[in-house]
Amino acid sequence: SRGINAEYGEFQTFQHYFKQINLSKRMAAQANKIATALGVAAVAFGAAGQCLYNVDAGEAAIIFDKFAGVKPHVYGEGTHFKLPIIQDPIIFDIRSKPRSVPVTTGSKDLQTVNLTLRILFHPDPTVLPSIYTNVGIDYDERILPSIVDEV
């Protein structure tokens, strides 16, 4: 009878061991499901982040489409959608900004006068696509010095 109890005890130990293995397999399967769900969620949030862009207060944006060029619509402040690889937002600061431009001019008595003019300017949001197409993002560096020379 002693041998039977010893064998029965060993049998219970094996049964307990197999239950633990089965439990470990189930826990591993659940952990695998959770990891897969987290991976899918991370990819989804990453893709959603590539489809959105923000335009802050005092800014306006236009869209450059790699197939169609500059889109005519101007986007105001807020969060907007874009196609991740095909479209790129170009954001302009439309607040009034000061700019100092040095100017050399002549007086009536033929003397050279050096002046520094301070100009407050801002782009018209409705013509931002035209500004970007014809002049570029650095429109203030290109246009303002020539306008000041005319004044």
Side-chain angles (χ1 to χ4, degrees):
S1 91
R2 185 139 171 88
I4 294 174
N5 282 339
E7 288 177 14
Y8 182 71
E10 288 177 15
F11 178 72
Q12 282 183 337
T13 305
F14 283 126
Q15 226 179 5
H16 181 70
Y17 176 72
F18 287 126
K19 282 182 184 178
Q20 284 182 339
I21 290 175
N22 195 16
L23 182 64
S24 297
K25 285 182 183 178
R26 281 188 278 151
M27 287 176 62
Q30 284 184 347
N32 192 11
K33 287 179 185 177
I34 291 171
T36 302
L38 288 175
V40 168
V43 168
F45 282 124
Q50 294 294 321
C51 294
L52 299 174
Y53 68 97
N54 288 327
V55 179
D56 295 329
E59 295 179 342
I62 59 173
I63 293 289
F64 178 78
D65 191 312
K66 290 186 173 60
F67 297 118
V70 177
K71 299 280 188 171
H73 185 73
V74 178
Y75 298 91
E77 59 187 61
T79 301
H80 305 282
F81 291 101
K82 69 177 179 96
L83 297 174
I85 296 172
I86 299 169
Q87 295 179 335
D88 293 321
I90 295 130
I91 298 176
F92 286 88
D93 186 7
I94 58 171
R95 292 176 285 206
S96 292
K97 294 183 281 189
R99 169 132 178 149
S100 296
V101 179
V103 178
T104 303
T105 186
S107 65
K108 287 183 181 180
D109 58 351
L110 301 175
Q111 292 188 2
T112 303
V113 179
N114 293 323
L115 299 172
T116 301
L117 295 178
R118 185 165 190 240
I119 304 167
L120 286 174
F121 71 97
H122 70 286
D124 183 8
T126 59
V127 295
L128 285 178
S130 175
I131 290 173
Y132 181 76
T133 302
N134 296 323
V135 183
I137 193 88
D138 59 344
Y139 64 92
D140 57 342
E141 299 286 333
R142 295 173 152 190
I143 294 176
L144 289 178
S146 62
I147 292 174
V148 169
D149 288 340
E150 296 296 322
V151 174

